[in-house]
Amino acid sequence: MELQILPLVIVLAYLIGMLLVGFIVGKLKIKNSSDYMVAGRRMGLFMVAFSLSANNVGGGSTTGLAAKAFGSWGMSAVWYVLAASIAMIPLAFFAPKIRKTMAVTIPEVVQRRFGKSASTFSAVLNILALFCLTSSQIAASGSVVSTLTGIPLNVCLLIAGLVVVLYTTLGGMIADQISDLVQFIIIFVGLAIATPFVLNGAGGWNAIAEKLPPVQLDFTKIGWVVIIGYIFNYFCTFLSGPEMVSRFETAKDEKTAKGASLLSAVLMAAMSIFPTLLGLAALSLQDSLPGLAENGSNAMMAVTSVYAPPIITGLISAAIISATMSSADSNLLCMSTMFIKDIYLNLIRKKPMDDRKVITLTRVCNVVACLIAMCISFLGISLVTMNTFAFAIRCAGPFAAYGLGLVVPRATKNSGIISIVTGTIGVIVWQILSGGDFYLGILPVVFGCGVGVITFFLVNLIEWKRGVAPAPSAYLSEKEVEQLVTLESTEN
């Protein structure tokens, strides 16, 4: 695609704006580690809901979704994001319980219930996965900037990584959520404005539909087995996903956490149709689109650059970068927070540390982790491969221990520990058998989580019959909550 000045200016303005957000928030709002890691637990409904949505809507849900619609999925590509929005509905049942723990990370809750070994294993799995996810999102962001500007890819990877690490390191979770709010608005508004322009430029929806085979307009073309599989897949990855859990922990109360999950479901469902329509428009107009990749990987940008005004193309470009960076910043912050709290302070230092030093260490960890992630992105590893591996290993093991640990008060210590091990083994085996895709109608993450859940209940049934005592509660006592709130208020 040729260098387009106006889109480039819009993207540069967006990147500079994100840096300013990080700088201002870091100066004015970050008073203690609670502010830095969980935004002081004072975020309202809309801030949490938009942040959840932005984290779920990455590059795969924008350019990737349009490419699926252009390819074999057709209209049924809408389920790629719609399934995620449906998964947010049952997650609303867990959201208040997640907020009630008053924790910062998933391993912290796992340790309360099932001990330090289970917590450490969960932390290692999550940190390894978050490295992969951060690398893939930096690679995706750099690729978009390179395509838009013509600047060499390696230079764009450095630019993308630098922007992500600066505003995340400076402003922590507060800056992260503010940027998420801005990013999702850019994504939603950009796509919502661009789609009518493209459809009108292509002669209207009826003209587009007439050029497409009827099967491409089938809403359920991919089949209900795949659709239901994706819903289960998203639910599993959301419930045991650190970036999702951290958002619920930032909510000002349990009611807000539940409402944010439901509102996020609505926001994602509304967004899902736009990339699908743009992908189908590109398919119907493929002979008249210069530079369109054969597999439609750039279908969204190709069709909007021809049929939408330059300012709209700029918004779409910013939207795509927003989608990838909204995931990269969250992954980076969660990874650093987990390493400092669950590895360094819990296993290495083993004694209290001044709150300001915790913030400083987390910031240093952000920089180091992002530099490593950028180096990984230079290797050119397939984004699909990295994402599939990361989501598989981080979710399947801790899923039962964390999710069911919140709702099964009588769970025993061994049930959590053993389920983490069997869930991890299950997902690795299924990953090998399936190549990361559906095998016997089941995705690796779903299979691994299923193995963990079955193990969790089997061990509990055996130990309940033997009279084994329940593991400690996942929740703090009222007195402990009061002490924590008082401490955070004092530090503010």
Side-chain angles (χ1 to χ4, degrees), residues 421-461:
V421 175
T422 58
T424 302
I425 294 173
V427 76
I428 292 173
V429 170
W430 211 253
Q431 182 85 8
I432 295 171
L433 291 174
S434 67
D437 206 344
F438 286 91
Y439 179 63
L440 303 180
I442 304 173
L443 286 165
V445 171
V446 177
F447 181 81
C449 290
V451 170
V453 168
I454 292 171
T455 304
F456 182 88
F457 282 114
L458 281 176
V459 174
N460 273 313
L461 287 173

Side-chain angles (χ1 to χ4, degrees), residues 99-324:
R99 176 59 178 79
K100 186 179 178 182
T101 64
M102 295 291 285
V104 176
T105 67
I106 288 174
E108 183 180 347
V109 175
V110 172
Q111 180 166 329
R112 290 179 192 172
R113 294 231 67 186
F114 307 115
K116 187 171 287 189
S117 59
S119 171
T120 302
F121 192 21
S122 297
V124 170
L125 290 174
N126 273 283
I127 290 170
L128 178 61
L130 289 167
F131 260 121
C132 295
L133 291 171
T134 302
S135 298
S136 70
Q137 296 300 337
I138 289 174
S141 299
S143 177
V144 173
V145 176
S146 179
T147 301
L148 182 67
T149 63
I151 297 173
L153 178 60
N154 284 349
V155 176
C156 292
L157 290 175
L158 287 172
I159 294 172
L162 184 65
V163 172
V164 169
V165 74
L166 281 177
Y167 79 76
T168 304
T169 299
L170 291 171
M173 181 61 80
I174 298 177
D176 201 352
Q177 289 211 337
I178 292 173
S179 63
D180 281 346
L181 175 67
V182 174
Q183 286 159 348
F184 190 81
I185 290 174
I186 291 174
I187 295 168
F188 188 87
V189 172
L191 292 174
I193 294 176
T195 302
F197 272 104
V198 171
L199 296 184
N200 184 62
W205 173 248
N206 289 335
I208 292 173
E210 287 176 2
K211 296 178 183 179
L212 298 174
V215 67
Q216 288 293 92
L217 303 177
D218 185 352
F219 187 63
T220 59
K221 179 186 177 184
I222 56 175
W224 284 107
V225 171
V226 174
I227 292 170
I228 294 171
Y230 270 112
I231 294 173
F232 276 104
N233 172 70
Y234 284 122
F235 174 73
C236 293
T237 55
F238 289 169
L239 180 56
S240 51
E243 71 282 357
M244 299 292 288
V245 168
S246 65
R247 265 60 191 171
F248 289 128
E249 291 289 0
T250 68
K252 63 182 181 181
D253 53 38
E254 295 166 30
K255 182 179 179 182
T256 298
K258 180 178 181 179
S261 184
L262 296 173
L263 178 56
S264 177
V266 175
L267 292 172
M268 286 193 292
M271 193 286 300
S272 64
I273 190 62
F274 300 123
T276 305
L277 293 177
L278 291 175
L280 290 172
L283 179 61
S284 71
L285 300 165
Q286 57 184 313
D287 294 334
S288 61
L289 296 178
L292 177 65
E294 185 176 347
N295 63 356
S297 59
N298 64 339
M300 181 183 293
M301 291 303 301
V303 75
T304 54
S305 63
V306 173
Y307 289 96
I311 191 170
I312 303 302
T313 304
L315 283 173
I316 290 296
S317 301
I320 295 170
I321 296 175
S322 296
T324 53

Side-chain angles (χ1 to χ4, degrees), residues 400-412:
Y402 178 73
L404 296 178
L406 295 174
V407 297
V408 183
R410 293 178 57 212
T412 63

Side-chain angles (χ1 to χ4, degrees), residues 35-56:
D35 289 336
Y36 193 79
M37 295 177 176
V38 287
R41 303 187 196 277
R42 56 178 179 267
M43 290 299 178
L45 173 66
F46 288 98
M47 189 67 79
V48 178
F50 275 88
S51 187
L52 287 168
S53 302
N55 275 281
N56 293 336

Side-chain angles (χ1 to χ4, degrees), residues 290-352:
L292 177 65
E294 185 176 347
N295 63 356
S297 59
N298 64 339
M300 181 183 293
M301 291 303 301
V303 75
T304 54
S305 63
V306 173
Y307 289 96
I311 191 170
I312 303 302
T313 304
L315 283 173
I316 290 296
S317 301
I320 295 170
I321 296 175
S322 296
T324 53
M325 286 190 173
S326 66
S327 300
D329 55 24
S330 301
N331 292 329
L332 181 61
L333 184 59
C334 286
M335 174 170 49
S336 299
T337 299
M338 209 171 288
F339 179 79
I340 296 301
K341 284 193 65 67
D342 301 310
I343 300 295
Y344 180 73
L345 294 178
N346 198 29
L347 296 177
I348 301 173
R349 183 180 173 88
K350 296 183 180 180
K351 56 183 178 180

